[in-house]
């Protein structure tokens, strides 16, 4: 189940062990050995993969189920115990095997955006697809899904509107959860974190889905409401680099639990509780990896033309990509090229040797550092 670290030293078991009434409803994209789940969660309702499911002889939408189970947890929880609830929405994830209807909102949402034309992204053009590296062709899974979802204007409008409708449905459930917290008088006493696990390409660079280190793929929403947050910071925007590995340490520290040493992330609360120290010490770049093979060299990853493995160094001025299966490099000056249109190493765009050498060296260091389990 977990061959790298003890399960009982991870986020949810630690919360449970420290007196929290714990729940997770929705998507759990991991193994679910009963002995681990029952020891970890007081309430565990796991389901995902389809937008419509049979429950009690009725057809129910997955987001509707998310809302039902979340509200039931909040209403029935022991009022004398601290609690931790994860509402893990499957929406707006597509039904991967459903080519015709990958996004299926509820019928009552179909009037939303009906009279709106949603513009295509700037880089959703044939020209930008033609600029992709040579190993991106019709066999690439991102390109295949693009064809099913976004190839024509009509197809794009149908699919993107259904995705937006599903996002609005998620928003409604979040609103219902907030209203329940207010009704119970604990809204201003509860740490709320809204985020997701990946971004999404909606035609950018002629692709669909995620995997690759383009901005639209690696950026995710992150909204935090923290009772400890100073009023001067509430409602403001922060553009520091935060990572998914920061979530567990942040939640644990908020609960008064010291994160285990193997956790590589940082407590994001430092950004608003101690901004002076954060400005001095917070990360300025990070290492990105997508591989299902050997983490060092991606040997064993699936075919390079399907969903190629990729590593990257991401900064606010430059981004460096390395595709290990084909030994291909890319460099983007995103400070001046926010949409990653000009690959400085494989086009007529000009770069400086200093930038390339700096990015290669920092990438090599951070790759070894992060993959060795050090704090990032």
């Amino acid at each position: 189940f977990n061959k790298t670290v003890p399960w009982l030293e991870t986020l949810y078991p630690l919360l449970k062990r420290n007196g929290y009434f714990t729940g997770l409803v929705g998507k759990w994209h991991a193994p679910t050995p009963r002995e681990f789940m029952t020891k970890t969660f007081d309430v565990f309702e796991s389901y995902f993969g389809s937008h419509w499911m049979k429950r009690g002889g009725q057809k129910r939408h997955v987001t509707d189920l998310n809302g039902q189970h979340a509200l039931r947890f909040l209403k029935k929880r022991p009022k004398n115990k601290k609690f931790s609830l994860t509402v893990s929405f499957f929406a707006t994830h597509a039904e991967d095997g459903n080519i015709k209807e990958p996004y299926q909102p509820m019928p009552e949402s179909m009037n939303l955006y009906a009279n709106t034309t949603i513009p295509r992204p700037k880089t959703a053009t044939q020209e930008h697809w033609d600029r992709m590296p040579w190993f991106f062709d019709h066999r690439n899974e991102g390109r295949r899904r693009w064809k099913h979802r976004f190839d024509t204007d009509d197809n794009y409008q149908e699919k993107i509107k259904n995705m937006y409708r599903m996002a609005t449905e998620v928003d409604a459930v979040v609103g219902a959860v907030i209203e329940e917290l207010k009704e119970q008088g604990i809204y201003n006493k509860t740490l709320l974190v809204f985020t997701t696990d990946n971004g999404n390409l909606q035609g950018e660079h002629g692709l669909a889905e995620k995997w690759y280190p383009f901005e639209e793929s690696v950026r995710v929403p992150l909204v935090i409401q923290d009772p400890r947050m100073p009023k001067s910071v509430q409602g403001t925007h922060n553009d520091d680099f935060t990572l998914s590995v920061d979530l567990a340490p942040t939640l644990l520290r908020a609960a008064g639990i010291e994160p285990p040493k193997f956790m590589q992330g940082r407590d994001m609360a430092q950004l608003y509780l101690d901004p002076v120290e954060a400005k001095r010490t917070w990360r300025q770049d990070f290492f990105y990896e997508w591989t299902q093979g050997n983490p060092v060299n991606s040997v064993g990853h699936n075919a390079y033309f399907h969903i190629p493995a990729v590593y990257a160094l991401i900064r606010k001025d430059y981004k460096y990509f390395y595709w290990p299966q084909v030994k291909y490099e890319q460099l983007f000056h995103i400070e001046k090229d926010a949409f990653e249109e000009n690959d400085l190493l494989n086009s007529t765009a000009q770069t400086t040797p200093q930038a390339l050498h700096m990015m290669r060296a920092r990438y090599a260091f951070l790759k070894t550092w992060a993959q060795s389990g050090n704090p990032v």
Side-chain angles (χ1 to χ4, degrees):
F1 175 55
N2 192 327
K3 299 179 180 179
T4 55
V5 298
W7 165 250
L8 294 179
E9 295 301 312
T10 58
L11 172 63
Y12 296 116
L14 285 172
L15 289 171
K16 172 76 170 174
R17 198 162 73 223
N18 281 270
Y20 279 78
F21 185 75
T22 56
L24 184 143
V25 300
K27 183 176 181 180
W28 177 267
H29 203 179
T32 57
R34 178 173 294 274
E35 65 273 22
F36 289 106
M37 299 300 103
T38 54
K39 291 179 181 178
T40 300
F41 297 107
D42 295 290
V43 175
F44 183 71
E45 299 275 359
S46 176
Y47 46 90
F48 63 96
S50 299
H51 296 146
W52 291 95
M53 301 175 177
K54 282 286 185 73
R55 291 290 188 275
Q58 291 185 324
K59 192 176 179 182
R60 300 284 303 279
H61 196 276
V62 63
T63 304
D64 186 36
L65 288 171
N66 294 152
Q68 175 189 328
H69 294 145
L71 293 176
R72 184 167 65 193
F73 174 93
L74 292 173
K75 292 176 186 292
K76 293 189 174 184
R77 66 182 178 84
K79 298 303 188 288
N80 61 342
K81 294 189 70 173
K82 303 173 290 185
F83 72 91
S84 164
L85 171 64
T86 296
V87 186
S88 187
F89 296 100
F90 179 59
T92 58
H93 198 295
E95 286 191 1
D96 287 340
N98 192 330
I99 293 175
K100 187 176 181 181
E101 295 183 308
Y103 306 106
Q104 300 176 39
M106 303 179 209
E108 55 267 35
S109 299
M110 292 306 293
N111 64 319
L112 298 173
Y113 314 110
N115 299 317
T116 301
T117 298
I118 298 174
R120 283 181 179 264
K122 178 183 179 182
T123 57
T125 69
Q126 181 64 40
E127 178 187 355
H128 288 89
W129 166 247
D130 291 340
R131 294 182 190 177
M132 291 295 291
W134 62 266
F135 46 93
F136 278 78
D137 60 27
H138 66 279
R139 299 171 295 177
N140 180 276
E141 186 62 22
R143 185 62 172 177
R144 286 162 55 88
R145 298 188 191 190
W146 167 87
K147 181 175 178 58
H148 298 319
R149 301 174 192 175
F150 306 132
D151 60 341
T152 67
D153 288 338
D154 288 346
N155 199 17
Y156 176 80
Q157 291 300 319
E158 175 190 344
K159 304 303 191 297
I160 201 69
K161 287 180 182 180
N162 281 343
M163 180 190 285
Y164 280 23
R165 288 163 182 145
M166 293 177 69
T168 304
E169 293 165 356
V170 168
D171 189 59
V173 172
V174 172
V177 168
I178 288 174
E179 286 304 311
E180 180 61 28
L181 294 174
K182 290 180 177 179
E183 183 72 21
Q184 294 186 19
I186 58 172
Y187 176 63
N188 293 319
K189 302 175 183 178
T190 305
L191 171 63
L192 300 173
V193 179
F194 179 84
T195 190
T196 187
D197 55 347
N198 58 262
N200 204 58
L201 292 162
Q202 299 168 357
E204 292 90 347
H205 308 285
L207 295 166
E209 287 290 345
K210 45 193 177 183
W211 307 303
Y212 311 127
F214 293 113
E215 289 290 281
E216 299 85 359
S217 178
V218 299
R219 286 181 175 267
V220 300
L222 175 64
V223 182
I224 298 177
Q225 176 174 295
D226 189 335
R228 303 168 298 169
M229 186 180 291
K231 288 188 177 181
S232 60
V233 183
Q234 294 174 17
T236 62
H237 176 266
N238 182 291
D239 64 354
D240 286 303
F241 284 136
T242 56
L243 306 177
S244 57
V245 294
D246 295 331
L247 289 169
T250 300
L251 295 173
L252 288 172
R253 281 250 164 80
I257 305 168
E258 186 65 21
K261 297 297 184 184
F262 67 80
M263 289 188 175
Q264 294 181 270
R266 307 184 184 193
D267 180 4
M268 292 183 285
Q270 184 188 48
L271 294 170
Y272 50 84
L273 296 181
D274 192 0
V276 174
E277 179 64 14
K279 186 174 182 180
R280 187 181 71 84
T281 61
W282 201 258
R283 67 175 68 90
Q284 300 299 308
D285 53 15
F286 65 94
F287 169 71
Y288 173 91
E289 60 183 329
W290 155 250
T291 178
Q292 294 178 307
N294 185 299
V296 176
N297 53 26
S298 290
V299 170
H301 187 81
N302 59 30
Y304 73 87
F305 56 78
H306 181 234
I307 306 176
V310 61
Y311 304 121
L313 171 65
I314 299 179
R315 296 166 50 102
K316 292 181 180 177
D317 50 359
Y318 285 94
K319 287 173 74 172
Y320 171 82
F321 298 0
Y322 182 68
W323 307 85
Q325 293 170 289
V326 290
K327 296 180 172 57
Y328 191 91
E329 297 175 291
Q330 291 185 282
L331 183 67
F332 297 93
H333 193 178
I334 59 171
E335 194 172 39
K336 296 181 179 179
D337 178 24
F339 294 96
E340 295 158 300
E341 297 179 87
N342 301 302
D343 174 5
L344 300 179
L345 300 185
N346 301 283
S347 70
T348 57
Q350 292 190 354
T351 185
T352 61
Q354 292 91 333
L356 177 58
H357 295 332
M358 178 268 293
M359 292 297 286
R360 279 176 173 166
R362 181 63 176 166
Y363 159 80
F365 170 79
L366 267 190
K367 180 175 185 292
T368 301
W369 178 263
Q371 291 185 338
S372 298
N374 293 297
V376 296

